[in-house]
Amino acid sequence: MIEIKNVSRTYSDGQHTEALRDVSLEIRRGEFLSLTGPSGCGKTSLLRLIAGLDSPQDGELLMEGRAIDSPCHERGYVFQQAALFPWKTVEENIAFGLRARRVYREKKRLVGEYLSLVGLDGFSKSYPHELSGGMVQRAAIARALINGPKVLLLDEPLGALDAFTRIELQNVIREIWRKTATTVVLVTHDVDEAIYLSDRIAVMTPRPGRISEILTVNLPAGRDRDSEDFIGLRRTMLRKLTINN
Amino acid sequence: MDRNKKYWKPKSNLWFFLAVTALAAALATDVLVPNVQETDTLYYQAVLAASIAVLLILFGIPVFSSGLGGRLYHYSQFIAAAGLFLTFLDLLTTKSNILKLPFFPGPARIVEVLFTERGMLLVCTAHSLRLFFAGLAGGVVLGIVTGVLTGWNRQWNYWLFPVIKVAGVIPPVAWIPLALVVFPSSFYAGIFLLTVASWFTIAFMVSTGIASTPKEYFEASRTLGADERYLLFHVAIPNAAPNIFTGIVTSAGMCFMMLVITEMIGAKAGLGWYINWAKAWASYDKVYASIVIMGVAFCIILAVINVFRSYFLRWQRGIVQ
Ligand SMILES: Nc1ncnc2c1ncn2[C@@H]1O[C@H](COP(=O)(O)OP(=O)(O)OP(=O)(O)O)[C@@H](O)[C@H]1O
Ligand SMILES: [Mg+2]
């Protein structure tokens, strides 16, 4: 569905940073793909390229055969820091995509639906600063989902959360993926999170980032973090990450 | 533990009764001590008595302990000080002429003028307010339009922003000679000067507010399907809203100053003109009366602006104190 072909990205404002070198990756329709690697290896850079927020110096990115050259509501994006609009209520934040595209039909129903999908019923009239970190991320996910994107790009949405909230939200994301059948690309540092959620895990090398390995997770749908297979996979992955470093 | 940040003074009945006592002292002083300056003190006494009555009634209202009460307690200390100040001022002026007429009429005399000259004062206030709002409205509209253009579009920014920056540092009084020549009447000259006094400050604030919109907001909006126009009206301008209001409040002060100045030099009406006219007759009581009106009027203007501000910036409640 999305093809990334020999993409390179070097930042040259200020100092010269080669963030991505010759990255190739294919993202399949409907899959849950995690992107992981050490800090600063270019995960955000790659996700921004996929979103169309940035363009590569070399190589090309295609979605359904067409070049990705600008952001589009078909590729939903959730930022590392949620970037909710502080002057809008949760409800208005979530409705933003619909209003921006002038889709007013069924707005109310859709907003209500996505509010409950992420478990924010009762907070529709709150402003972002009145929410906890986890709730802010829930709202940001709902805001991206309401456009019915073909791909949902998540940049460490759970990175700043405590372990409890994290696990809770992992289940929310899993449910959403199951219900909406969108393709999901999740950037994460957390090995458990990647194994728990993904069909495939792309591991990146330290800067300049490249895809060093793609692991396929062959675990059943209801994943148990304590099962033999899970623990085995975690051990393999940790070994790969440490070898790379 | 008192968590009310706005009305934080102690909720003490002692202070409240001191406030009432101070006003009563001011009243008693005026009633009991014979006048030296010639004044009809009845109006002053009536105002003091009415203030005391209002305070006592508010105190008696059963819901006293809620919002209103906090405010009343909060201002008690100030009211007490004001009562004392009036008492001494009355003694120094009306009651002794230590501070001499005509330059220092007593508070009783000023209150008297406020009542006896009310027709004239009302007309002048109306004139001033009309000019003020016309001028400020011009500044706000032009300021927001040029501010948005320069903050949003680099071509506009290139051509207009330096002009705004330079024009903003020129004191608006410098335009008076030009205004008097170019405009057919002092009223239009006044509008021009007030507009100039407010325009550039607002434009500057709006422009920086728009330009300082965090990049993530734009990026998030783009991934949600927003076009350029939508970004401007639903992201950049809301982000600049706090700045817009800061600009309006700041320039309202400059406008008010400019208002009085223009009325003092060119106009045939308004509070500024009234001050000049009264001064020519050495009626300092009238000068002070119009100063009092100006103070009260400007406070009301600021309060009105604040009502709009807290409505439009209601999302900021809890972020900024
Ligand atoms: N706009 C930019 N300008 C200059 N350098 C940048 C920019 N964005 C990223 N970089 C650099 O590119 C490299 C990769 O950054 P990126 O944000 O993609 O890493 P990351 O894998 O997402 O890291 P983290 O896990 O810490 O979020 C870093 O060295 C960073 O300093
Ligand atoms: Mg990152």
Side-chain angles (χ1 to χ4, degrees):
Chain A
M1 159 170 226
I2 291 180
E3 290 162 86
I4 302 163
K5 293 182 185 165
N6 310 101
V7 159
S8 300
R9 178 72 172 96
T10 300
Y11 296 103
S12 39
D13 45 322
Q15 88 219 69
H16 197 82
T17 316
E18 190 177 7
L20 299 170
R21 181 191 291 172
D22 196 22
V23 173
S24 294
L25 181 65
E26 194 187 332
I27 300 164
R28 302 173 191 155
R29 183 181 307 277
E31 81 168 331
F32 197 120
L33 177 86
S34 284
L35 202 55
T36 190
S39 185
C41 71
K43 303 183 292 294
T44 300
S45 303
L46 183 56
L47 209 62
R48 287 174 58 84
L49 289 173
I50 299 173
L53 288 167
D54 191 11
S55 43
Q57 270 102 6
D58 278 312
E60 59 174 354
L61 294 103
L62 302 174
M63 173 156 159
E64 295 177 331
R66 265 173 295 136
I68 296 173
D69 52 8
S70 64
C72 170
H73 70 275
E74 292 187 335
R75 292 183 297 275
Y77 197 105
V78 176
F79 289 78
Q80 214 161 348
Q81 338 74 351
L84 291 184
F85 306 111
W87 54 84
K88 288 185 184 291
T89 60
V90 168
E91 179 178 63
E92 291 165 345
N93 262 289
I94 293 177
F96 188 93
L98 295 180
R99 299 200 48 189
R101 295 185 298 123
R102 296 168 180 83
V103 178
Y104 302 110
R105 221 159 14 99
E106 298 198 86
K107 196 182 86 186
K108 240 195 153 80
R109 187 183 65 76
L110 281 172
V111 170
E113 198 173 289
Y114 282 94
L115 267 169
S116 26
L117 186 63
V118 296
L120 277 180
D121 310 87
F123 291 95
S124 55
K125 304 277 186 240
S126 306
Y127 285 98
H129 72 265
E130 297 166 333
L131 304 179
S132 71
M135 287 154 80
V136 165
Q137 289 300 352
R138 286 168 196 259
I141 292 171
R143 182 176 69 171
L145 277 176
I146 203 163
N147 279 327
K150 292 182 178 162
V151 188
L152 185 61
L153 307 168
L154 304 168
D155 189 359
E156 283 188 62
L158 316 182
L161 304 178
D162 61 276
F164 268 125
T165 322
R166 232 185 136 98
I167 288 178
E168 204 182 313
L169 275 183
Q170 283 168 7
N171 290 325
V172 170
I173 291 176
R174 197 172 168 72
E175 273 309 289
I176 287 169
W177 175 61
R178 218 175 44 75
K179 278 190 197 159
T180 59
T182 47
T183 311
V184 178
V185 181
L186 171 77
V187 168
T188 179
H189 270 131
D190 185 335
V191 173
D192 274 26
E193 183 169 297
I195 300 173
Y196 185 66
L197 293 171
S198 321
D199 294 324
R200 294 194 302 154
I201 304 173
V203 183
M204 291 177 73
T205 62
R207 200 176 59 228
R210 318 179 55 167
I211 308 281
S212 64
E213 187 131 19
I214 297 181
L215 294 156
T216 306
V217 183
N218 280 319
L219 294 179
R223 287 177 191 180
D224 177 1
R225 293 171 207 261
D226 296 324
S227 71
E228 285 294 320
D229 293 343
F230 199 106
I231 295 170
L233 204 53
R234 179 196 295 150
R235 201 178 300 130
T236 324
M237 240 187 97
L238 285 173
R239 202 179 318 121
K240 298 218 152 102
L241 280 169
T242 38
I243 289 170
N244 282 334
N245 281 323
Chain B
M1 179 53 192
D2 186 6
R3 298 191 175 280
N4 193 330
K5 282 197 178 136
K6 198 159 177 199
Y7 304 113
W8 52 272
K9 280 281 188 181
K11 291 194 176 15
S12 118
N13 283 336
L14 180 67
W15 278 113
F16 176 77
F17 285 116
L18 273 179
V20 174
T21 313
L23 288 181
L27 178 58
T29 310
D30 199 68
V31 173
L32 297 176
V33 182
N35 292 348
V36 174
Q37 295 179 353
E38 191 194 323
T39 305
D40 181 356
T41 56
L42 208 61
Y43 297 104
Y44 176 60
Q45 291 168 7
V47 168
L48 285 175
S51 313
I52 295 171
V54 168
L55 280 185
L56 289 176
I57 289 170
L58 289 178
F59 189 67
I61 292 177
V63 291
F64 182 57
S65 51
S66 68
L68 177 69
R71 255 189 254 194
L72 197 57
Y73 280 127
H74 185 75
Y75 291 119
S76 286
Q77 295 185 3
F78 191 86
I79 296 170
L84 279 183
F85 174 73
L86 285 176
T87 308
F88 285 111
L89 193 62
D90 199 25
L91 285 171
L92 286 173
T93 52
T94 313
K95 303 301 177 187
S96 65
N97 206 24
I98 293 174
L99 294 174
K100 292 193 172 36
L101 283 178
F103 307 112
F104 298 106
R109 175 70 195 151
I110 295 170
V111 174
E112 185 194 343
V113 168
L114 283 171
F115 278 91
T116 54
E117 296 285 311
R118 61 182 176 277
M120 186 64 155
L121 285 169
L122 223 70
V123 172
C124 285
T125 309
H127 263 277
S128 292
L129 288 182
R130 191 168 64 128
L131 180 54
F132 176 80
F133 281 113
L136 183 62
V140 168
V141 170
L142 288 172
I144 291 180
V145 170
T146 52
V148 166
L149 287 174
T150 52
W152 185 248
N153 180 291
R154 60 180 183 184
Q155 225 20 287
W156 278 100
N157 186 66
Y158 176 86
W159 293 107
L160 212 51
F161 196 68
V163 179
I164 288 174
K165 238 166 53 179
V166 171
V169 298
I170 298 171
V173 279
W175 302 103
I176 288 177
L178 173 72
L180 292 182
V181 173
V182 171
F183 290 93
S185 78
S186 61
F187 183 67
Y188 291 108
I191 292 183
F192 166 78
L193 287 168
L194 264 64
T195 298
V196 166
S198 47
W199 175 353
F200 305 112
T201 312
I202 297 177
F204 187 81
M205 292 300 294
V206 174
S207 184
T208 47
I210 298 244
S212 68
T213 311
K215 201 180 74 185
E216 299 92 76
Y217 293 162
F218 289 134
E219 292 186 337
S221 315
R222 286 210 180 88
T223 61
L224 293 168
D227 55 21
E228 287 293 302
R229 224 178 75 109
Y230 203 82
L231 291 187
L232 174 61
F233 285 102
H234 291 86
V235 180
I237 292 181
N239 184 73
N243 267 27
I244 296 178
F245 277 101
T246 311
I248 291 176
V249 170
T250 319
S251 58
M254 294 204 288
C255 248
F256 202 74
M257 201 150 67
M258 203 58 216
L259 168 78
V260 180
I261 295 173
T262 54
E263 284 182 342
M264 285 178 112
I265 53 164
K268 302 279 178 298
L271 289 170
W273 165 81
Y274 184 81
I275 287 186
N276 246 7
W277 174 82
K279 193 194 86 189
W281 293 94
S283 307
Y284 279 80
D285 44 4
K286 290 178 184 165
V287 172
Y288 297 132
S290 49
I291 287 177
V292 169
I293 292 181
M294 282 177 192
V296 172
F298 193 61
C299 283
I300 294 173
I301 290 168
L302 284 185
V304 169
I305 296 177
N306 212 22
V307 167
F308 284 99
R309 181 198 192 119
S310 41
Y311 174 74
F312 283 109
L313 303 185
R314 58 193 179 284
W315 56 272
Q316 276 197 328
R317 242 170 272 155
I319 300 179
V320 285
Q321 176 50 53

